[in-house]
Amino acid sequence: MRKVVAIILASAFFAVLLVSFSNIQQADYGEKEYYYQNPINGSYANESVPSHYISNTKNETGAVNAVTAIVVEYRGFDTLGEVTVLFTAATGVSFLLYKTRGGKKRTEANLILKEGSKLVLPFILLTGAYIFIHGHLTPGGGFPGGAVIASGFLLMMLSYPKFFMKERAVSVTESMAGITFAFIGLLGLVFASSFLQNFLPLGDAGYILSAGIIPIIYIAIGFKVGSELSSIADKLKEVQK
Amino acid sequence: MLELIFAVLLIAAFATLFIKSGRIAAIISLIASAMPLIAVMDWANDFGIKAFSFGVENSMDFSIAGITMHLSITSFAWFFAVMVFSLLPPIFLFSYSFFEKNNGFFPFMLFLITAVFGILLASDFLTLFFFWELMAASSFILVYISRDKKAIMSYLAFSVLSAVLILVGIALLYSQSGTLIFSDIVLNADKVTVSAIILMVAGFAVKSALMPLHAWAPFVYSKADEPFVAFLSGGLSKVGYYGMFFMLFALPGAKILHQYFNSGVATYLLAVIGAISAFIGTLLAFMEDDLRKLLAYSSIAQLGYIAVGFGIGSSLAMAGALFQAFNHAFFKSVLFLAAGAVAYRTGKWKISELGGVGYKMPFTFMAALFAIFALAAIPITSGFAAKWLLYEAAVSNKYIFITPIMLIAGVGAFLYSFRILYGVFLGENRHDDIKEAPLPMIAGMFLLVLPLIIFLIFPGYMLDMMHSALVDAGIGTISHTNYVIRTGTASYNTLAVVIGMMVVMIPAFLIYVLRKQKKVDFKDNFLAGEPYEFYGYISMHAANNFYKPIEDVIMPYLRKGAISFYTALYNAMGRVSDASRKIYTGLSQDYTIYIIIFFFIIVGWLIW
Amino acid sequence: MVTPVLMIAIPLLAAFLMPLIKKAHRYFTFSILLLNAILSVLLFAKVYNDGAIYETIAGFSPPVGIYLAVDNLSALLALIINLFATINFVTSKKDFKFSMLYLLGVTGATGIVLTGDIFNMFVFFEITAVASYALVASKKDEKAVEGSIKYMILGSVGSSFMLIGIAIIYSQLKSLNLYDIAARISSMDPKMMWLSFSFLLTGIGVEAELFPLNGWVPDAYEGASSNIASFLSFGPSKASIYAIARLLIIFSMSRTYELALYVGIATLLIGEVAAFMQKNEKRMLAYSSIGQMGLILIAFSLIKDTSYAIPAAFFIIVSHASAKSSLFLISGKKGFGGITSKYVGLAGVLSLIGMPPMAGFWGKWYLLMGIADEKMWAVAAVIIFSAVIEAIYFARYLHKNLGEGESEDLGYSIPAAVMVSVSIVMGILPLIYNMAGGVLNA
């Protein structure tokens, strides 16, 4: 009975979503322009938010990758929040999973996997680092870069049953990265006028050393996401039965 | 000066909160409770009675940023203030001996007094309601001290019911007139105003233990500390009647009700409810074995008379009702205090277990005797005058339903008060090892008896006191001198009655004292020859199962009364509650389905 | 220099710092919370004197960037959340990860109240929700985990609903700024507007304990340790009911207010009736919380038409936050052992029932005056009914907890006493009425 109800409800819900998002196409996504009243100074702006991003990103942030500019600069506060959500989840996992390590013996992986992963690991880490360091220039950024790094460690965990992250090192990395992010935000409050505001020179768009604080924040995010995801994987591995 | 009185009361309340010894707390409370009395005395000058003047102002606006509380004394509030606040010093005197340890009685009693003072002074609805709720809260804590489950639950439930009824009534009135200040309110005879008046009268009636709303009274009166119960029955119930008086005559709600219903049906209904309260309360009282429960039902009955007077609403009836309120405040306090004194010495509450206490505690007995005379309306105390006015009002209005019920209840009062006299104070002497109650207790009780005797001889003083109240409320007074009350049909000369009584009583007393007595041991004859065990139960005598035959006939019907109705309601509500908790199945799947269904419902509701 | 962003940035920084200073973590967390409470007092003073504050983040003006919008009511709520969090934290006895999660949960709730951007609000919802899931389970026994998992499942469903609602709004208006959305809401396709409102109400309603979205409430409150149950009742739930108030003001249609009123009434009735016969103390308090949330929603649903709505909601929030949190702190023991917990219990119950001199009295008073303005007498009847029901089960609760002679855990009852005294102070100084009566901008 419950299953039937669930199926009916789920399909009805899907229909509602279908209807609602099909309407969006008719409303020219990202095209229409509106008049806004700025709540702070009461002035009116004659463009929509998406078109503002498209036309002004390079001038305002110095980043070539508009997505990165939105994530780190325009909506940097949300990103700080998202990083914190991840951090909270990682802390929660490690807080609740309290079983001691090495509970169960696992079979050794075969030689090819072991040696192969040793060989691949540096490249994975390098790729990850590349993704987040070049976040403001090419597609990618802190989150995917961090995930790639974590996948490298995951590979090591799979191939070496006795491989454990160094808990202290991971948590210090995590903390330092988070502190860097929040601290840069506060520096923005001190050197410029608002939290997370850019206070470094924008530089020439397209070069590594450009776009002000974006690369620094993205590197911090990369470290943070990498260490958090690895530590979650590490913790989950410990309690596996 | 008025601020000073409030400040002294509150400071004393906070001080006693931290005092462990009951004696010191009682002394502080005694001094603090004299403060409102000073104000009351001062205000007497404003209402045509000569008294000392201390320079207490008669109105005050008390402002805390944003909210102003208007306080001022009116003639009818003053009349109620006289009776409520003169109870307090004797009660605190009594509790000097009653409480060895301060169990929280004194601080919350003082908060209660502050609240009552505020209620009587309030001249806008916010102030009235604020202090009403403060009164409910502090009296609830006093009940809470008793640790009895039924008392705690029923008292809080009915207090909140009363508060919310009054609050909704205030909201209704406010929506009609747009103001909360009494003097600015103009009432129209429309549906909203009428329902507001009915709700608020019902809300105030809860405190006065009027019949369908009385279910808390037997539990609370029989379990809380005696000095508090004395004030609850004597004082707080009068505050409820003050509220009713205010709504019906000062605002004036009774006129609106007359206009709206085009007849006096609403007020007649109040009178009928009062009469039924008196009747059923009396029936329940004379079958009760627990002394405190007996007094509780007796309170319900006696307070019913006041409602009859309010319902009739003529000048005669109002005079009678206010007189009855005044008397009841005093004699019921004395009775509860006497019960407290008896229990203080014997530790027993059941009439069937007590007996012969009067031989050892003669002064307590004396005080209780006078109170019982007043209760039973025997013309040796002022109780008679009040009842007489009420009966005459009912008769002259040709209330053929109310009058007989009231008369039967009046006789009934005698039937149960007789049981107190015989079962507790006289009868078989079972308590050889007890002493007379301590002096402060006796002093407190006799201070409370004093007004009963004074207003017996000079009922005119009482009518003087209520004169300006009745005139201000547009009711009109009855003509009187100090000793003579003249109603439309007859006149009643108290001096003649008193002298007549003296002529009979003094020789009788002298004969009783002077003749040669042979002491008869009550143990021999208290069963009047019946065997102790009789048909399986302990045989009937004045202290035990005295009204067994009546009880057997009536009780099956009375069992279906209000209290069992509320119990049934509680149980039914419990079943609804258990059923409603079945919604919370404990399965996240179900909860998720709820979420989606909720979403569909609101989408559907909003779009179509 | 008091800016609202400090109230979010400093605790975040502190939470990131926590793994490095494991040892003194309790004092550190406490002082950060205290600092936050002081900041919110200063912030409130500033807002009260100079009017609402709009603070941009990252230097981009609002429709493009994010901003924090702080008015009187949100500053007061931030104050309440941080103040109670500070007091409540005294009872924590766990390791540094607990302190970290607690700090993050409080920050999330503060963020919800302060932010002026709907997606930013969602992010803070996520922070406080994820932290709460872990905190509920922190007792680490079976019931705690059960409650936490139910909370987590429903919470995630709720946040997906919220996200879809935000997506619809953005697709239509190309904006995430609350003020901007409120100004242009009428230019939305009406069907899309209702859809997005439904998604958002359903999503936030899960956190705000609205019926029938509140299935997690009894289990989570029962499973959680008493200080976390206390945290749930002043933190996430209060922040999310405030978010619903903002939502109502954004959409500001008579139909949405009407809907909120009905949902509020249903929540009130179900909560109070369910609590009536509940024997388990914590579950009873949890159901009673549901009822109170319904009452707050009823108060907020009157915002459009009467100026009494905001003070009413504010006082009920204060009363509920302080009284219910302190009751949760002292419950679950063998009754009120000592004198402190006895008075805390009495004061808490009297405040919830709405008796002076507690904040609950003013809540009830202003609510009824608001209803009088609106002439909605059916709502008044519902309130009479629920008040009496509430009185009965709280009387039973008080009687059940009458302990004598047992010792009490002062570590719990003194913080509880401090919390409940907030309700008394607010009740004695209805001065706050003027302050809370200020405009509530969206």
Side-chain angles (χ1 to χ4, degrees):
Chain A
M1 181 59 201
R2 193 177 283 138
K3 276 179 193 163
V4 177
V5 173
I7 289 169
I8 293 169
L9 283 177
S11 33
F13 192 62
F14 182 70
V16 168
L17 285 183
L18 213 60
V19 170
S20 52
F21 282 96
S22 65
N23 271 18
I24 290 169
Q25 290 302 322
Q26 301 161 11
D28 341 316
Y29 197 90
E31 297 294 320
K32 260 188 188 169
E33 296 194 349
Y34 297 97
Y35 287 101
Y36 296 100
Q37 189 182 15
N38 186 332
I40 292 174
N41 52 22
S43 66
Y44 286 86
N46 186 12
E47 59 180 350
S48 73
V49 173
S51 55
H52 179 98
Y53 288 150
I54 290 168
S55 49
N56 297 335
T57 301
K58 207 172 154 188
N59 304 336
E60 285 181 356
T61 66
V64 183
N65 183 353
V67 175
T68 301
I70 291 167
V71 169
V72 181
E73 271 292 309
Y74 291 110
R75 305 200 66 85
F77 201 48
D78 284 345
T79 310
L80 179 60
E82 288 299 345
V83 170
T84 314
V85 172
L86 195 58
F87 175 67
T88 316
T91 314
V93 167
S94 69
F95 177 56
L96 294 176
L97 302 180
Y98 49 94
K99 230 184 154 192
T100 46
R101 29 178 72 185
K104 192 195 166 194
K105 279 190 182 171
R106 263 166 290 180
T107 47
E108 291 276 312
N110 68 18
L111 186 70
I112 298 175
L113 181 55
K114 275 156 72 175
E115 294 304 315
S117 43
K118 254 191 209 168
L119 187 69
V120 175
L121 180 66
F123 293 105
I124 293 177
L125 295 185
L126 190 65
T127 316
Y130 171 79
I131 290 175
F132 62 68
I133 292 171
H134 276 243
H136 57 302
L137 302 177
T138 54
F143 285 96
V148 168
I149 289 178
S151 74
F153 287 114
L154 186 61
L155 182 64
M156 292 302 283
M157 286 174 210
L158 290 173
S159 35
Y160 293 92
K162 297 240 169 78
F163 179 89
F164 287 109
M165 305 292 291
K166 277 189 185 136
E167 200 176 337
R168 182 75 188 156
V170 172
S171 72
V172 168
T173 318
E174 203 179 332
S175 294
M176 290 312 294
I179 291 165
T180 313
F181 194 168
F183 196 66
I184 286 177
L186 286 176
L187 284 183
L189 199 57
V190 176
F191 292 118
S193 62
S194 62
F195 188 71
L196 277 175
Q197 193 171 355
N198 186 20
F199 54 91
L200 295 175
L202 291 179
D204 294 337
Y207 289 90
I208 285 247
L209 292 178
S210 67
I213 59 172
I214 293 180
I216 308 174
I217 288 180
Y218 247 179
I219 290 167
I221 292 176
F223 274 107
K224 195 164 171 56
V225 172
S227 54
E228 270 158 8
L229 289 178
S230 334
S231 87
I232 289 177
D234 192 43
K235 288 287 187 275
L236 289 173
K237 186 181 134 206
E238 278 168 25
V239 291
Q240 228 168 37
K241 281 185 181 170
Chain B
M1 189 67 187
L2 208 48
E3 297 97 323
L4 186 72
I5 293 172
F6 274 106
V8 167
L9 282 171
L10 285 174
I11 290 168
F14 280 111
T16 45
L17 205 55
F18 299 102
I19 291 174
K20 285 256 160 61
S21 152
R23 306 271 190 259
I24 302 171
I27 292 168
I28 294 174
S29 313
L30 187 60
I31 296 165
S33 72
M35 297 297 289
L37 212 52
I38 290 175
V40 167
M41 225 150 107
D42 195 293
W43 292 325
N45 295 310
D46 301 351
F47 306 115
I49 292 159
K50 289 229 159 51
F52 295 109
S53 180
F54 301 94
V56 183
E57 58 280 63
N58 50 14
S59 71
M60 178 176 95
D61 283 355
F62 184 67
S63 226
I64 324 170
I67 289 166
T68 310
M69 292 189 164
H70 303 275
L71 300 169
S72 73
I73 188 76
T74 55
S75 51
F76 27 92
W78 177 78
F79 179 75
F80 281 89
V82 172
M83 71 172 97
V84 172
F85 291 113
S86 7
L87 291 177
L88 286 162
I91 287 179
F92 279 121
L93 199 60
F94 181 90
S95 36
Y96 174 83
S97 307
F98 193 83
F99 293 100
E100 293 206 347
K101 270 201 219 154
N102 181 4
N103 62 352
F105 169 80
F106 294 103
F108 292 106
M109 197 71 185
L110 286 168
F111 281 125
L112 186 57
I113 297 168
T114 319
V116 172
F117 200 49
I119 292 171
L120 293 177
L121 281 172
S123 64
D124 69 90
F125 274 121
L126 174 59
T127 317
L128 179 74
F129 184 65
F130 180 84
F131 284 114
W132 183 267
E133 285 275 65
L134 191 62
M135 178 188 85
S138 43
S139 59
F140 169 69
I141 295 175
L142 286 162
V143 174
Y144 185 62
I145 296 169
S146 75
R147 312 174 71 91
D148 182 70
K149 186 177 181 183
K150 276 187 179 169
I152 292 173
M153 284 178 66
S154 58
Y155 192 73
L156 192 60
F158 277 93
S159 289
V160 168
L161 177 68
S162 125
V164 207
L165 287 178
I166 293 171
L167 180 54
V168 172
I170 292 173
L172 285 160
L173 282 182
Y174 176 67
S175 76
Q176 286 305 100
S177 58
T179 176
L180 290 169
I181 298 168
F182 293 161
S183 49
D184 297 350
I185 289 178
V186 181
L187 295 183
N188 299 313
D190 52 33
K191 206 158 74 183
V192 176
T193 313
V194 166
S195 41
I197 292 166
I198 292 173
L199 283 178
M200 286 180 75
V201 167
F204 287 120
V206 172
K207 262 306 159 290
S208 313
L210 211 53
M211 206 60 187
L213 302 169
H214 72 292
W216 56 275
F219 304 118
V220 173
Y221 283 8
S222 62
K223 287 296 189 292
D225 290 325
E226 291 314 309
F228 165 59
V229 175
F231 186 62
L232 184 61
S233 169
L236 288 193
S237 59
K238 305 307 174 301
V239 179
Y241 274 111
Y242 164 70
M244 278 199 243
F245 185 94
F246 172 77
M247 286 309 297
L248 289 175
F249 302 106
L251 210 50
K255 270 187 198 147
I256 300 296
L257 291 175
H258 277 279
Q259 274 177 32
Y260 183 76
F261 292 110
N262 231 339
S263 68
V265 62
T267 45
Y268 180 73
L269 208 63
L270 180 65
V272 169
I273 290 173
I276 292 175
S277 283
F279 181 67
I280 296 182
T282 306
L283 281 185
L284 289 167
F286 71 64
M287 287 178 290
E288 192 56 58
D289 189 32
D290 186 325
L291 179 55
R292 291 178 296 184
K293 273 201 173 166
L294 188 151
L295 290 175
Y297 285 122
S298 152
S299 285
I300 293 169
Q302 295 298 321
L303 291 167
Y305 284 101
I306 308 175
V308 173
F310 280 16
I312 298 172
S314 66
S315 60
L316 202 59
M318 290 307 296
L322 293 183
F323 209 149
Q324 165 75 4
F326 197 94
N327 281 332
H328 179 261
F330 286 89
F331 68 70
K332 199 43 66 67
S333 308
V334 174
L335 281 176
F336 272 112
L337 292 183
V342 168
Y344 180 74
R345 285 302 186 203
T346 63
K348 287 175 190 163
W349 293 113
K350 294 235 150 124
I351 294 176
S352 54
E353 291 170 4
L354 286 161
V357 177
Y359 307 124
K360 296 287 173 187
M361 302 171 76
F363 291 105
T364 312
F365 175 48
M366 279 282 280
L369 187 65
F370 270 105
I372 283 171
F373 284 157
L375 187 154
I378 296 169
I380 196 168
T381 60
S382 59
F384 175 73
K387 292 264 172 69
W388 178 67
L389 287 171
L390 276 174
Y391 290 143
E392 183 164 341
V395 170
S396 63
N397 275 312
K398 302 193 178 63
Y399 281 172
I400 52 167
F401 177 67
I402 294 172
T403 318
I405 289 185
M406 271 167 68
L407 282 168
I408 295 171
V411 179
F414 193 74
L415 295 181
Y416 64 75
S417 46
F418 161 70
R419 282 186 63 218
I420 305 176
L421 281 183
Y422 187 82
V424 178
F425 291 104
L426 301 171
E428 182 194 11
N429 188 358
R430 299 187 196 175
H431 299 279
D432 283 330
D433 51 345
I434 57 169
K435 284 189 293 189
E436 175 58 272
L439 186 64
M441 286 194 180
I442 294 170
M445 287 189 280
F446 272 93
L447 276 177
L448 288 174
V449 168
L450 210 58
L452 294 176
I453 298 170
I454 293 176
F455 293 116
L456 158 74
I457 306 171
F458 306 110
Y461 287 178
M462 172 67 72
L463 294 173
D464 281 341
M465 271 162 63
M466 64 178 78
H467 176 83
S468 44
L470 293 179
V471 170
D472 284 357
I475 299 164
T477 50
I478 46 180
S479 69
H480 62 273
T481 64
N482 280 349
Y483 319 112
V484 185
I485 304 172
R486 291 189 201 87
T487 63
T489 51
S491 78
Y492 165 55
N493 188 331
T494 50
L495 202 61
V497 172
V498 171
I499 292 170
M501 292 288 286
M502 293 297 168
V503 167
V504 181
M505 298 278 276
I506 290 174
F509 186 70
L510 287 176
I511 292 167
Y512 175 77
V513 172
L514 296 177
R515 84 199 156 104
K516 291 224 162 117
Q517 299 177 24
K518 183 170 162 257
K519 183 127 180 147
V520 180
D521 193 353
F522 261 103
K523 276 201 168 91
D524 298 336
N525 66 353
F526 81 101
L527 289 178
E530 297 276 356
Y532 195 77
E533 291 279 325
F534 187 66
Y535 297 133
Y537 53 83
I538 299 172
S539 57
M540 296 175 277
H541 66 92
N544 190 29
N545 283 333
F546 192 59
Y547 301 111
K548 181 80 180 160
I550 306 176
E551 201 176 327
D552 288 344
V553 175
I554 298 172
M555 239 4 222
Y557 302 101
L558 286 187
R559 284 228 175 80
K560 289 176 187 149
I563 292 176
S564 52
F565 168 73
Y566 289 119
T567 317
L569 205 61
Y570 175 81
N571 292 334
M573 201 57 232
R575 281 193 291 280
V576 173
S577 166
D578 287 336
S580 77
R581 266 183 288 115
K582 294 224 167 69
I583 296 172
Y584 295 92
T585 53
L587 293 171
S588 329
Q589 294 97 310
D590 289 354
Y591 296 153
T592 318
I593 289 178
Y594 294 164
I595 293 181
I596 294 173
I597 291 175
F598 174 77
F599 171 74
F600 280 130
I601 290 173
I602 61 172
V603 167
W605 195 81
L606 285 173
I607 289 182
W608 288 287
Chain C
M1 194 181 81
V2 182
T3 55
V5 74
L6 288 181
M7 292 183 56
I8 297 162
I10 292 177
L12 282 186
L13 194 63
F16 294 142
L17 209 59
M18 201 80 72
L20 303 180
I21 44 153
K22 284 179 187 169
K23 280 199 180 133
H25 67 94
R26 283 182 58 202
Y27 302 103
F28 182 62
T29 314
F30 181 79
S31 44
I32 292 292
L33 286 169
L34 193 63
L35 176 70
N36 237 11
I38 293 166
L39 275 179
S40 51
V41 171
L42 296 176
L43 183 65
F44 172 65
K46 196 173 167 191
V47 174
Y48 182 60
N49 288 328
D50 308 343
I53 296 178
Y54 301 99
E55 189 187 9
T56 51
I57 304 284
F60 298 102
S61 63
V64 177
I66 299 172
Y67 80 149
L68 302 179
V70 188
D71 55 36
N72 284 330
L73 190 58
S74 53
L76 275 174
L77 274 176
L79 171 60
I80 289 168
I81 291 170
N82 284 292
L83 183 67
F84 287 144
T86 317
I87 302 165
N88 186 22
F89 187 74
V90 176
T91 59
S92 144
K93 290 188 183 64
K94 296 221 167 64
D95 61 352
F96 77 98
K97 281 176 182 160
F98 179 89
S99 307
M100 220 149 84
L101 289 168
Y102 187 87
L103 198 52
L104 288 169
V106 175
T107 316
T110 316
I112 294 170
V113 173
L114 294 183
T115 188
D117 185 285
I118 196 163
F119 187 76
N120 200 237
M121 189 187 269
F122 170 76
V123 170
F124 283 118
F125 257 109
E126 284 288 283
I127 296 178
T128 187
V130 172
S132 306
Y133 307 149
L135 287 172
V136 168
S138 68
K139 212 174 161 192
K140 293 181 180 172
D141 60 8
E142 208 169 292
K143 279 204 162 163
V145 174
E146 187 192 335
S148 168
I149 285 177
K150 280 176 193 164
Y151 186 12
M152 191 161 67
I153 291 172
L154 297 190
S156 353
V157 173
S159 27
S160 353
F161 270 79
M162 199 179 159
L163 194 56
I164 296 172
I166 294 171
I168 294 174
I169 287 184
Y170 186 73
S171 75
Q172 290 280 306
L173 297 180
K174 313 285 182 291
S175 179
L176 292 170
N177 184 291
L178 289 178
Y179 190 95
D180 193 21
I181 295 170
R184 295 190 294 120
I185 195 76
S186 51
S187 66
M188 265 177 102
D189 174 32
K191 270 185 188 166
M192 299 304 282
M193 182 172 77
W194 297 132
L195 261 177
S196 62
F197 178 80
S198 312
F199 273 115
L200 285 171
L201 183 69
T202 313
I204 305 175
V206 173
E207 283 287 326
E209 306 178 6
L210 302 184
F211 178 78
L213 315 171
N214 49 18
W216 58 274
V217 174
D219 291 315
Y221 278 80
E222 188 194 3
S225 55
S226 50
N227 55 344
I228 292 308
S230 163
F231 163 73
L232 288 180
S233 62
F234 66 75
S237 61
K238 295 297 167 292
S240 27
I241 199 81
Y242 177 71
I244 287 187
R246 286 203 157 177
L247 188 68
L248 287 174
I249 293 168
I250 291 171
F251 282 84
S252 204
M253 307 274 169
S254 56
R255 270 181 99 73
T256 55
Y257 283 118
E258 208 178 326
L259 180 73
L261 180 67
Y262 292 146
V263 174
I265 290 173
T267 311
L268 173 66
L269 282 179
I270 291 286
E272 302 291 11
V273 168
F276 183 75
M277 263 292 150
Q278 179 58 261
K279 293 288 191 301
N280 183 320
E281 217 164 81
K282 280 189 165 177
R283 287 180 84 91
M284 188 209 89
L285 290 175
Y287 285 125
S288 155
S289 292
I290 294 176
Q292 297 277 330
M293 297 310 276
L295 207 56
I296 300 172
L297 188 59
I298 291 176
F300 273 134
S301 72
L302 304 177
I303 283 181
K304 198 181 177 190
D305 307 286
T306 165
S307 58
Y308 289 115
I310 290 174
F314 170 70
F315 278 112
I316 302 172
I317 286 177
V318 171
S319 152
H320 184 239
S322 75
K324 197 54 74 63
S325 312
S326 52
L327 286 185
F328 270 120
L329 271 191
I330 57 170
S331 71
K333 319 267 184 303
K334 279 180 190 164
F336 306 150
I339 194 94
T340 318
S341 44
K342 197 179 197 172
Y343 280 128
V344 169
L346 269 173
V349 166
L350 291 182
S351 179
L352 288 174
I353 288 174
M355 288 196 176
M358 319 287 174
F361 171 80
W362 298 105
K364 206 163 77 173
W365 173 262
Y366 286 125
L367 183 56
L368 258 292
M369 289 300 116
I371 287 172
D373 268 4
E374 292 284 286
K375 299 196 184 2
M376 298 188 298
W377 304 120
V379 184
V382 170
I383 289 172
I384 294 182
F385 173 75
S386 62
V388 174
I389 296 274
E390 202 177 3
I392 293 174
Y393 68 73
F394 270 124
R396 201 182 57 225
Y397 166 81
L398 281 178
H399 177 261
K400 199 176 151 199
N401 278 311
L402 266 170
E404 189 71 80
E406 297 142 25
S407 63
E408 61 179 326
D409 190 351
L410 285 178
Y412 280 89
S413 56
I414 287 179
V418 178
M419 277 191 195
V420 90
S421 62
V422 172
S423 171
I424 297 175
V425 170
M426 289 286 193
I428 293 172
L429 296 174
L431 153 109
I432 308 298
Y433 158 65
N434 284 343
M435 305 182 179
V439 280
L440 182 79
N441 282 310

